[in-house]
Amino acid sequence: MKRTIFIWVISIFCFISVLGVFAGGGQEAEVIKMRLSTNHTEHTPAAKGYFYLADRVSELTNGQVTIEVYNNAVLGSARETLEQIQAGALDITHASTAHLSAFTPIMDIFSVPYLFRNNDHFWKVLEGKIGSEIAAYAEEAGMKLVVWVAAGSRSFYNKVRPITKPEDLKGLKIRVMGSEVMIKTMEAFGASPTTTAFSEVYSALQTGVIDGAENNPISVDNMKHDEVSKYYSMDEHMMIPDVLMISLSSWNKMSKGQQKDFLKACEETQKFIAEEWGKQEGESLDNIKGNVVINQIPDKSEFIAVVKPLQNSLSAQFDGYIEKIQAVK
Ligand code: GCU
């Protein structure tokens, strides 16, 4: 009798357990936890966008995919985090296409000086067919481009003199990102380029290792480079997009449905960052005014003329894409 009761108790227990597994199947799935790295402070449009992305991904996937954001390059420089992404050691990173060009050479096309006419042209290209075609190349390097991140126009700043014409750049030691096209551009201007990680530019300026650098107003303001510079000269020579990259191994961990939700959140994030950029750019220019003298360069034709031969010489390297981009109306 005791034995029969025992068997009954065990059988009921097993039945309840099996029922539990079926009913709670969804909740048993493992949560996918991702880490996202940026070399930005938490106040930039991009960093704010990534907090937004983390919230939206969690909301849309009912907490099944989570993203933890690490700012200030604590996980490494853009170059280093891209290496980690490629090795599958990190899930997501922010970078400039100039950094990405070391892994996916065609990305250096966006460093071509005066490639874009204006902000509208920039977005038309990136959000159109050309943007998708170029983005797809990154998959050959083991990563997927999921957000085109607004990064404004880059201008020169330095400690020596205001840049009002191309000759003013002659002989200046200018920091650039690790991009061949950026290096060639500085050489075309007669400046002497040196590559330095973003987080080290402040001390390089302070100690005089470099005379200047070039970047958008929001980055200059957030990294406080204005504290160690004297002039910000708005020649706006490049509009280099930033990008958000996910490693293909992390991407493949998500189910089809989660990938769809993830991309929806990315699409929203792209808009969020671009809007935030519009709000912050003017504020940053105002903020740096106290430390640097800002000069406008309304007529940029001399600058454009100096780099035109370089642009022509790069045409073959980029497979006709320079012309295709310029033909976008
Ligand atoms: C921009 C960009 C950064 C990049 C930096 C740089 O500010 O937003 O992602 O790293 O330029 O010059 O290194």
Side-chain angles (χ1 to χ4, degrees):
M1 179 65 184
K2 260 194 192 156
R3 193 179 140 83
T4 319
I5 292 176
F6 178 73
I7 289 172
W8 266 106
V9 168
I10 293 290
S11 306
I12 290 169
F13 180 76
C14 289
F15 181 67
I16 290 173
S17 307
V18 167
L19 267 189
V21 168
F22 277 111
Q27 286 142 31
E28 303 264 316
E30 210 183 310
V31 172
I32 300 174
K33 293 184 181 158
M34 301 210 197
R35 292 182 307 152
L36 181 159
S37 166
T38 83
N39 56 2
H40 280 201
T41 71
E42 52 275 38
H43 309 294
T44 68
K48 288 185 187 169
Y50 303 143
F51 290 126
Y52 172 87
L53 175 73
D55 287 347
R56 289 296 286 140
V57 166
S58 175
E59 263 167 36
L60 291 170
T61 64
N62 297 318
Q64 292 302 297
V65 181
T66 65
I67 299 175
E68 193 150 354
V69 179
Y70 294 82
N71 289 307
N72 299 301
V74 292
L75 298 183
S77 66
R79 169 75 196 230
E80 289 161 348
T81 56
L82 282 168
E83 279 165 6
Q84 293 169 35
I85 289 278
Q86 204 176 31
L90 173 68
D91 306 291
I92 309 170
T93 193
H94 162 100
S96 166
T97 50
H99 297 123
L100 187 55
S101 68
F103 304 81
T104 305
I106 196 168
M107 292 292 167
D108 219 8
I109 193 170
F110 298 118
S111 311
V112 170
Y114 300 108
L115 176 68
F116 295 110
R117 291 186 300 276
N118 51 38
N119 210 35
D120 281 351
H121 182 212
F122 174 88
W123 282 113
K124 237 186 202 161
V125 170
L126 296 186
E127 291 184 334
K129 187 167 167 274
I130 297 177
S132 316
E133 282 171 12
I134 294 181
Y137 280 90
E139 303 206 9
E140 291 166 16
M143 33 190 145
K144 187 174 172 64
L145 192 162
V146 284
V147 182
W148 290 110
V149 178
S153 297
R154 302 176 76 95
S155 291
F156 289 107
Y157 52 104
N158 80 91
K159 295 163 79 164
V160 182
R161 53 183 170 255
I163 308 300
T164 59
K165 52 189 183 313
E167 297 81 72
D168 295 328
L169 285 159
K170 288 224 157 76
L172 293 186
K173 278 178 280 167
I174 302 289
R175 175 270 174 176
V176 290
M177 294 187 272
S179 133
E180 251 179 65
V181 174
M182 288 190 96
I183 291 173
K184 286 186 180 157
T185 304
M186 296 310 132
E187 288 168 349
F189 280 130
S192 153
T194 147
T195 51
T196 316
F198 191 42
S199 57
E200 278 153 32
V201 175
Y202 187 101
S203 66
L205 280 166
Q206 196 174 36
T207 55
V209 170
I210 52 174
D211 298 313
E214 47 79 60
N215 218 318
N216 59 65
I218 295 181
S219 287
V220 175
D221 180 23
N222 270 277
M223 301 303 279
K224 303 192 190 311
H225 293 172
D226 52 308
E227 289 178 1
V228 281
S229 300
K230 289 193 182 146
Y231 307 100
Y232 188 75
S233 308
M234 300 197 55
D235 70 301
E236 300 180 314
H237 51 270
M238 290 169 188
M239 294 184 80
I240 308 184
D242 284 342
V243 282
L244 193 68
M245 308 301 297
I246 181 168
S247 92
L248 281 185
S249 59
S250 305
W251 173 255
N252 290 329
K253 279 184 200 148
M254 292 190 279
S255 68
K256 287 272 170 292
Q258 288 167 340
Q259 289 175 347
K260 204 167 150 236
D261 293 335
F262 190 93
L263 285 184
K264 181 176 183 333
C266 285
E267 207 179 295
E268 290 175 16
T269 302
Q270 185 161 311
K271 291 205 169 63
F272 177 100
I273 296 174
E275 271 172 36
E276 197 60 32
W277 190 276
K279 290 184 210 153
Q280 280 192 35
E281 196 172 31
E283 284 170 26
S284 280
L285 275 172
D286 282 345
N287 292 345
I288 65 174
K289 250 179 212 156
N291 288 323
V292 289
V293 177
I294 300 179
N295 65 289
Q296 299 290 333
I297 304 177
D299 178 6
K300 301 182 180 59
S301 53
E302 282 186 53
F303 288 83
I304 296 173
V306 170
V307 292
K308 190 71 192 156
L310 170 66
Q311 215 182 69
N312 295 340
S313 75
L314 290 169
S315 169
Q317 175 177 337
F318 292 118
D319 226 4
Y321 269 111
I322 295 184
E323 294 73 7
K324 282 190 207 163
I325 288 177
Q326 290 179 332
V328 172
K329 289 284 166 264

